[in-house]
Amino acid sequence: MFSLRILAGVNAGNVYKLRGKLTTIGRAAASSVQILDGRASKRHAQVRFENGAHSLLDMKSKNGTYLNGRAVKEATLKAGDRVRIGDTELVFEECEGDHVVDSAQHRKRVTPYTHGETMLISVESLNPEGGQVSADGGRAYDNQNLLHDFSLLANTDASLPQILEELVNIVFSAVGPDRMAFYLYDSKEEGYVPEVAKRRRSVQDRPFELSMKVFREVTEGKKAVHCSEVATDQRFNIRDSVVMQSINSMIGVPVLIRGQVLAIIYVDNCASGLPLSVEDFRFLTVLSTLASVVLARHLQDIRPAGA
């Protein structure tokens, strides 16, 4: 696998693995590699993977895309190539070393909770430091970069849909659940509605419904909930939707703004997937704290019933 590492610029030190056939680069919050550079265009460049090779393409940017000092419209990339966008310099390189370990491979070595254990924690009591996310150097490095990049959205003009798209991408990159939903409080409906949801193709046919027991713990108790094995947890029974959906583990985390739960981050893995781990739980609780800051200006007028 190859990656882009930022050598110079606001995001210096960040590493972005090139997954899939298309990686977008630019100032837009929805970019795969967001460049916080005033001289970068919102949709500045792309890296495409075709026929076993990566190519760099300029997307008609205002200030151009440079490869090893030369302005290019399209060029094949090789390890060690330097890309400059505005005042930001990146290097195209192979992923080697612990600091760029593929999180999907690392997940297989994560030790989950004891059989059937449920954990609840007050989000307000958390210290949102990136170093708390993981004790493992490789995964912690990746996750700290993701959290750092997301926090920077608080100082941009990113729209709510752009922020939520970035949030979903971060959750799937760091946690890799089968399904994820972001529930937002709707004052007209006087309840929480799924503002955005995503699921893997392998579970497209499964109904998506949040357990009311988890829902009450998160919204009324203002607690982050982690259940590592739903089927054996005494809090759930055969009539509960989570069992009927063959979910093996889940995490629900509140997003608190002015002390009120205005949104919920929910993820789960189905019976065939790996259980969501303690590290996943900690990552999402930290992400929810950052989300409350990033989303504050968009949700400032929302008041849940009874607030």
Side-chain angles (χ1 to χ4, degrees):
M1 180 179 288
F2 284 83
S3 67
L4 286 172
R5 178 162 57 91
I6 298 182
L7 299 176
V10 174
N11 299 345
N14 286 6
V15 179
Y16 301 88
K17 297 174 190 175
L18 304 182
R19 297 185 175 93
K21 295 184 177 181
L22 179 66
T23 300
T24 58
I25 308 171
R27 203 174 72 252
S31 302
S32 307
V33 179
Q34 187 186 19
I35 303 294
L36 298 178
D37 187 316
R39 300 185 64 233
S41 299
K42 289 185 177 180
R43 288 169 288 278
H44 197 105
Q46 293 181 349
V47 174
R48 293 181 184 174
F49 182 70
E50 296 176 328
N51 301 320
H54 288 87
S55 298
L56 175 68
L57 292 87
D58 180 79
M59 301 302 293
K60 299 181 180 179
S61 63
K62 181 178 180 180
N63 294 309
T65 300
Y66 292 79
L67 179 63
N68 299 323
R70 295 188 305 106
V72 296
K73 296 298 182 183
E74 182 174 352
T76 301
L77 290 168
K78 62 181 184 298
D81 279 348
R82 303 289 183 94
V83 177
R84 183 166 61 82
I85 292 175
D87 296 319
T88 301
E89 185 175 8
L90 309 92
V91 60
F92 177 75
E93 58 189 6
E94 290 190 62
C95 294
E96 296 180 352
D98 289 341
H99 66 292
V100 285
V101 167
D102 183 12
S103 60
Q105 294 177 357
H106 177 74
R107 280 180 55 79
K108 298 179 181 178
R109 302 194 298 272
V110 174
T111 302
Y113 266 148
T114 303
H115 186 74
E117 184 175 350
T118 300
M119 181 176 183
L120 294 87
I121 187 170
S122 171
V123 175
E124 293 172 308
S125 68
L126 289 171
N127 176 15
E129 291 294 330
Q132 207 185 68
V133 172
S134 174
D136 178 274
R139 192 181 183 199
Y141 185 92
D142 285 343
N143 289 353
Q144 286 172 15
N145 284 340
L146 291 171
L147 292 169
H148 175 262
D149 288 352
F150 184 70
S151 69
L152 294 175
L153 292 178
N155 298 318
T156 70
D157 59 355
S159 65
L160 180 59
Q162 288 175 324
I163 292 173
L164 295 184
E165 182 177 358
E166 184 68 11
L167 182 71
V168 171
N169 290 337
I170 286 174
V171 170
F172 269 83
S173 294
V175 178
D178 283 336
R179 307 186 301 183
M180 181 264 185
F182 183 87
Y183 289 83
L184 184 64
Y185 186 82
D186 188 319
S187 56
K188 294 181 179 179
E189 298 290 335
E190 295 187 351
Y192 297 84
V193 297
E195 186 71 16
V196 62
K198 182 177 180 179
R199 65 182 81 190
R200 294 188 185 279
R201 188 171 300 174
S202 59
V203 296
Q204 286 287 345
D205 60 338
R206 297 178 186 266
F208 203 160
E209 183 180 359
L210 179 61
S211 160
M212 289 306 298
K213 292 183 179 180
V214 173
F215 176 82
R216 285 192 293 268
E217 292 283 7
V218 175
T219 58
E220 298 174 13
K222 300 180 182 179
K223 304 287 186 180
V225 179
H226 174 208
C227 180
S228 63
E229 193 160 340
V230 171
T232 59
D233 195 300
Q234 295 182 355
R235 285 155 40 87
F236 306 107
N237 56 58
I238 192 61
R239 296 176 183 174
D240 199 293
S241 61
V242 293
V243 176
M244 295 172 67
Q245 293 177 66
S246 300
I247 295 170
N248 73 2
S249 58
M250 66 170 68
I251 298 173
V253 184
V255 176
L256 292 167
I257 298 177
R258 302 182 305 276
Q260 301 298 322
V261 179
L262 297 189
I264 303 167
I265 299 172
Y266 173 82
V267 300
D268 64 34
N269 271 355
C270 297
S272 59
L274 291 170
L276 296 164
S277 71
V278 177
E279 304 304 328
D280 298 327
F281 179 61
R282 290 175 177 168
F283 178 86
L284 290 174
T285 52
V286 174
L287 180 62
S288 73
T289 304
L290 293 177
S292 67
V293 177
V294 175
L295 293 168
R297 65 186 176 88
H298 294 281
L299 308 183
Q300 60 183 345
D301 297 326
I302 297 178
R303 293 288 189 278

mmCIF file of all heavy atoms in Angstrom, residues 82-107:
data_model
loop_
_atom_site.group_PDB
_atom_site.id
_atom_site.type_symbol
_atom_site.label_atom_id
_atom_site.label_comp_id
_atom_site.label_asym_id
_atom_site.label_seq_id
_atom_site.Cartn_x
_atom_site.Cartn_y
_atom_site.Cartn_z
ATOM 1 N N ARG A 82 7.781 13.995 -4.870
ATOM 2 C CA ARG A 82 7.307 15.119 -4.060
ATOM 3 C C ARG A 82 6.209 15.861 -4.808
ATOM 4 O O ARG A 82 6.368 16.206 -5.981
ATOM 5 C CB ARG A 82 8.452 16.090 -3.746
ATOM 6 C CG ARG A 82 9.658 15.462 -3.031
ATOM 7 C CD ARG A 82 9.320 15.104 -1.592
ATOM 8 N NE ARG A 82 10.460 14.575 -0.880
ATOM 9 C CZ ARG A 82 11.295 15.305 -0.133
ATOM 10 N NH1 ARG A 82 11.090 16.614 -0.024
ATOM 11 N NH2 ARG A 82 12.304 14.737 0.488
ATOM 12 N N VAL A 83 5.096 16.097 -4.113
ATOM 13 C CA VAL A 83 3.965 16.812 -4.685
ATOM 14 C C VAL A 83 3.800 18.114 -3.912
ATOM 15 O O VAL A 83 3.789 18.117 -2.682
ATOM 16 C CB VAL A 83 2.668 15.980 -4.591
ATOM 17 C CG1 VAL A 83 1.480 16.769 -5.137
ATOM 18 C CG2 VAL A 83 2.824 14.652 -5.336
ATOM 19 N N ARG A 84 3.660 19.230 -4.637
ATOM 20 C CA ARG A 84 3.441 20.516 -3.966
ATOM 21 C C ARG A 84 2.124 21.116 -4.417
ATOM 22 O O ARG A 84 1.839 21.249 -5.604
ATOM 23 C CB ARG A 84 4.581 21.496 -4.241
ATOM 24 C CG ARG A 84 4.401 22.829 -3.485
ATOM 25 C CD ARG A 84 5.682 23.650 -3.491
ATOM 26 N NE ARG A 84 6.100 23.998 -4.832
ATOM 27 C CZ ARG A 84 5.602 25.014 -5.527
ATOM 28 N NH1 ARG A 84 4.656 25.776 -5.004
ATOM 29 N NH2 ARG A 84 6.055 25.291 -6.735
ATOM 30 N N ILE A 85 1.305 21.465 -3.427
ATOM 31 C CA ILE A 85 0.019 22.121 -3.648
ATOM 32 C C ILE A 85 0.010 23.376 -2.790
ATOM 33 O O ILE A 85 0.016 23.291 -1.561
ATOM 34 C CB ILE A 85 -1.149 21.187 -3.266
ATOM 35 C CG1 ILE A 85 -1.217 20.001 -4.239
ATOM 36 C CG2 ILE A 85 -2.461 21.943 -3.251
ATOM 37 C CD1 ILE A 85 -2.252 18.969 -3.889
ATOM 38 N N GLY A 86 0.029 24.541 -3.428
ATOM 39 C CA GLY A 86 0.157 25.778 -2.671
ATOM 40 C C GLY A 86 1.468 25.782 -1.909
ATOM 41 O O GLY A 86 2.537 25.561 -2.485
ATOM 42 N N ASP A 87 1.405 25.998 -0.601
ATOM 43 C CA ASP A 87 2.610 25.969 0.231
ATOM 44 C C ASP A 87 2.761 24.640 0.958
ATOM 45 O O ASP A 87 3.574 24.508 1.880
ATOM 46 C CB ASP A 87 2.560 27.107 1.264
ATOM 47 C CG ASP A 87 2.583 28.477 0.601
ATOM 48 O OD1 ASP A 87 3.348 28.650 -0.368
ATOM 49 O OD2 ASP A 87 1.822 29.359 1.039
ATOM 50 N N THR A 88 1.971 23.664 0.559
ATOM 51 C CA THR A 88 1.992 22.352 1.197
ATOM 52 C C THR A 88 2.752 21.361 0.324
ATOM 53 O O THR A 88 2.497 21.259 -0.873
ATOM 54 C CB THR A 88 0.559 21.843 1.436
ATOM 55 O OG1 THR A 88 -0.145 22.773 2.261
ATOM 56 C CG2 THR A 88 0.568 20.477 2.113
ATOM 57 N N GLU A 89 3.685 20.626 0.944
ATOM 58 C CA GLU A 89 4.464 19.629 0.214
ATOM 59 C C GLU A 89 4.171 18.244 0.775
ATOM 60 O O GLU A 89 4.134 18.033 1.986
ATOM 61 C CB GLU A 89 5.960 19.915 0.318
ATOM 62 C CG GLU A 89 6.803 18.977 -0.539
ATOM 63 C CD GLU A 89 8.281 19.340 -0.528
ATOM 64 O OE1 GLU A 89 8.661 20.225 0.257
ATOM 65 O OE2 GLU A 89 9.043 18.729 -1.299
ATOM 66 N N LEU A 90 3.950 17.298 -0.131
ATOM 67 C CA LEU A 90 3.662 15.922 0.246
ATOM 68 C C LEU A 90 4.655 14.989 -0.436
ATOM 69 O O LEU A 90 5.218 15.326 -1.486
ATOM 70 C CB LEU A 90 2.240 15.511 -0.161
ATOM 71 C CG LEU A 90 1.077 16.422 0.249
ATOM 72 C CD1 LEU A 90 0.789 17.447 -0.857
ATOM 73 C CD2 LEU A 90 -0.188 15.605 0.509
ATOM 74 N N VAL A 91 4.849 13.816 0.155
ATOM 75 C CA VAL A 91 5.690 12.806 -0.470
ATOM 76 C C VAL A 91 4.867 11.539 -0.666
ATOM 77 O O VAL A 91 4.096 11.135 0.203
ATOM 78 C CB VAL A 91 6.959 12.508 0.369
ATOM 79 C CG1 VAL A 91 6.608 11.985 1.757
ATOM 80 C CG2 VAL A 91 7.873 11.513 -0.361
ATOM 81 N N PHE A 92 5.007 10.936 -1.837
ATOM 82 C CA PHE A 92 4.345 9.684 -2.174
ATOM 83 C C PHE A 92 5.285 8.550 -1.801
ATOM 84 O O PHE A 92 6.408 8.480 -2.294
ATOM 85 C CB PHE A 92 4.032 9.663 -3.679
ATOM 86 C CG PHE A 92 3.414 8.385 -4.181
ATOM 87 C CD1 PHE A 92 2.080 8.105 -3.922
ATOM 88 C CD2 PHE A 92 4.159 7.487 -4.931
ATOM 89 C CE1 PHE A 92 1.497 6.938 -4.410
ATOM 90 C CE2 PHE A 92 3.583 6.315 -5.414
ATOM 91 C CZ PHE A 92 2.251 6.040 -5.152
ATOM 92 N N GLU A 93 4.831 7.664 -0.903
ATOM 93 C CA GLU A 93 5.738 6.632 -0.414
ATOM 94 C C GLU A 93 4.984 5.362 -0.048
ATOM 95 O O GLU A 93 3.770 5.378 0.144
ATOM 96 C CB GLU A 93 6.515 7.140 0.808
ATOM 97 C CG GLU A 93 5.638 7.592 1.960
ATOM 98 C CD GLU A 93 6.405 8.287 3.070
ATOM 99 O OE1 GLU A 93 7.613 8.525 2.892
ATOM 100 O OE2 GLU A 93 5.793 8.576 4.098
ATOM 101 N N GLU A 94 5.743 4.257 0.039
ATOM 102 C CA GLU A 94 5.158 3.004 0.480
ATOM 103 C C GLU A 94 4.942 3.044 1.980
ATOM 104 O O GLU A 94 5.701 3.674 2.714
ATOM 105 C CB GLU A 94 6.060 1.828 0.115
ATOM 106 C CG GLU A 94 6.129 1.537 -1.376
ATOM 107 C CD GLU A 94 6.832 0.227 -1.668
ATOM 108 O OE1 GLU A 94 6.326 -0.829 -1.222
ATOM 109 O OE2 GLU A 94 7.882 0.270 -2.319
ATOM 110 N N CYS A 95 3.870 2.372 2.450
ATOM 111 C CA CYS A 95 3.578 2.313 3.885
ATOM 112 C C CYS A 95 4.502 1.292 4.527
ATOM 113 O O CYS A 95 4.280 0.089 4.404
ATOM 114 C CB CYS A 95 2.125 1.926 4.128
ATOM 115 S SG CYS A 95 0.940 3.146 3.558
ATOM 116 N N GLU A 96 5.504 1.769 5.204
ATOM 117 C CA GLU A 96 6.420 0.899 5.928
ATOM 118 C C GLU A 96 6.644 1.472 7.313
ATOM 119 O O GLU A 96 6.689 2.678 7.497
ATOM 120 C CB GLU A 96 7.758 0.784 5.201
ATOM 121 C CG GLU A 96 7.644 0.114 3.821
ATOM 122 C CD GLU A 96 8.987 0.024 3.141
ATOM 123 O OE1 GLU A 96 9.948 0.604 3.670
ATOM 124 O OE2 GLU A 96 9.077 -0.628 2.094
ATOM 125 N N GLY A 97 6.794 0.585 8.291
ATOM 126 C CA GLY A 97 7.028 1.058 9.656
ATOM 127 C C GLY A 97 5.749 1.091 10.450
ATOM 128 O O GLY A 97 4.647 1.130 9.933
ATOM 129 N N ASP A 98 5.876 1.078 11.776
ATOM 130 C CA ASP A 98 4.723 0.989 12.668
ATOM 131 C C ASP A 98 3.800 2.188 12.572
ATOM 132 O O ASP A 98 2.620 2.092 12.825
ATOM 133 C CB ASP A 98 5.195 0.864 14.129
ATOM 134 C CG ASP A 98 5.825 -0.491 14.395
ATOM 135 O OD1 ASP A 98 5.572 -1.419 13.603
ATOM 136 O OD2 ASP A 98 6.562 -0.609 15.382
ATOM 137 N N HIS A 99 4.334 3.371 12.218
ATOM 138 C CA HIS A 99 3.507 4.572 12.255
ATOM 139 C C HIS A 99 2.496 4.644 11.121
ATOM 140 O O HIS A 99 1.637 5.503 11.118
ATOM 141 C CB HIS A 99 4.380 5.823 12.239
ATOM 142 C CG HIS A 99 5.159 6.024 10.976
ATOM 143 N ND1 HIS A 99 6.175 5.196 10.623
ATOM 144 C CD2 HIS A 99 5.054 6.953 9.996
ATOM 145 C CE1 HIS A 99 6.699 5.608 9.463
ATOM 146 N NE2 HIS A 99 6.025 6.658 9.070
ATOM 147 N N VAL A 100 2.606 3.702 10.166
ATOM 148 C CA VAL A 100 1.602 3.670 9.102
ATOM 149 C C VAL A 100 1.025 2.266 8.950
ATOM 150 O O VAL A 100 0.687 1.842 7.859
ATOM 151 C CB VAL A 100 2.186 4.168 7.754
ATOM 152 C CG1 VAL A 100 2.344 5.663 7.763
ATOM 153 C CG2 VAL A 100 3.511 3.488 7.425
ATOM 154 N N VAL A 101 0.892 1.535 10.032
ATOM 155 C CA VAL A 101 0.280 0.211 9.993
ATOM 156 C C VAL A 101 -1.174 0.329 9.546
ATOM 157 O O VAL A 101 -1.898 1.220 9.987
ATOM 158 C CB VAL A 101 0.350 -0.446 11.395
ATOM 159 C CG1 VAL A 101 -0.548 -1.672 11.456
ATOM 160 C CG2 VAL A 101 1.783 -0.834 11.724
ATOM 161 N N ASP A 102 -1.583 -0.570 8.645
ATOM 162 C CA ASP A 102 -2.962 -0.564 8.174
ATOM 163 C C ASP A 102 -3.892 -0.908 9.335
ATOM 164 O O ASP A 102 -3.774 -1.962 9.950
ATOM 165 C CB ASP A 102 -3.112 -1.602 7.057
ATOM 166 C CG ASP A 102 -4.503 -1.599 6.455
ATOM 167 O OD1 ASP A 102 -5.266 -0.666 6.731
ATOM 168 O OD2 ASP A 102 -4.812 -2.542 5.708
ATOM 169 N N SER A 103 -4.823 -0.028 9.631
ATOM 170 C CA SER A 103 -5.695 -0.235 10.782
ATOM 171 C C SER A 103 -6.551 -1.488 10.625
ATOM 172 O O SER A 103 -6.916 -2.126 11.604
ATOM 173 C CB SER A 103 -6.596 0.985 11.010
ATOM 174 O OG SER A 103 -7.400 1.217 9.884
ATOM 175 N N ALA A 104 -6.893 -1.866 9.393
ATOM 176 C CA ALA A 104 -7.709 -3.068 9.183
ATOM 177 C C ALA A 104 -6.950 -4.314 9.618
ATOM 178 O O ALA A 104 -7.508 -5.247 10.187
ATOM 179 C CB ALA A 104 -8.098 -3.178 7.710
ATOM 180 N N GLN A 105 -5.635 -4.361 9.370
ATOM 181 C CA GLN A 105 -4.822 -5.480 9.815
ATOM 182 C C GLN A 105 -4.632 -5.434 11.322
ATOM 183 O O GLN A 105 -4.670 -6.448 12.007
ATOM 184 C CB GLN A 105 -3.459 -5.451 9.128
ATOM 185 C CG GLN A 105 -3.531 -5.671 7.631
ATOM 186 C CD GLN A 105 -2.176 -5.554 6.976
ATOM 187 O OE1 GLN A 105 -1.180 -5.248 7.627
ATOM 188 N NE2 GLN A 105 -2.124 -5.785 5.681
ATOM 189 N N HIS A 106 -4.441 -4.245 11.844
ATOM 190 C CA HIS A 106 -4.205 -4.107 13.277
ATOM 191 C C HIS A 106 -5.421 -4.522 14.091
ATOM 192 O O HIS A 106 -5.284 -5.037 15.193
ATOM 193 C CB HIS A 106 -3.837 -2.663 13.615
ATOM 194 C CG HIS A 106 -3.660 -2.432 15.083
ATOM 195 N ND1 HIS A 106 -2.555 -2.888 15.762
ATOM 196 C CD2 HIS A 106 -4.457 -1.835 15.997
ATOM 197 C CE1 HIS A 106 -2.665 -2.559 17.037
ATOM 198 N NE2 HIS A 106 -3.821 -1.917 17.208
ATOM 199 N N ARG A 107 -6.618 -4.336 13.578
ATOM 200 C CA ARG A 107 -7.832 -4.677 14.306
ATOM 201 C C ARG A 107 -7.849 -6.141 14.722
ATOM 202 O O ARG A 107 -8.427 -6.494 15.740
ATOM 203 C CB ARG A 107 -9.077 -4.387 13.460
ATOM 204 C CG ARG A 107 -9.486 -2.954 13.443
ATOM 205 C CD ARG A 107 -10.716 -2.776 12.580
ATOM 206 N NE ARG A 107 -11.795 -3.644 13.005
ATOM 207 C CZ ARG A 107 -12.580 -3.395 14.050
ATOM 208 N NH1 ARG A 107 -12.379 -2.336 14.784
ATOM 209 N NH2 ARG A 107 -13.554 -4.219 14.369
#
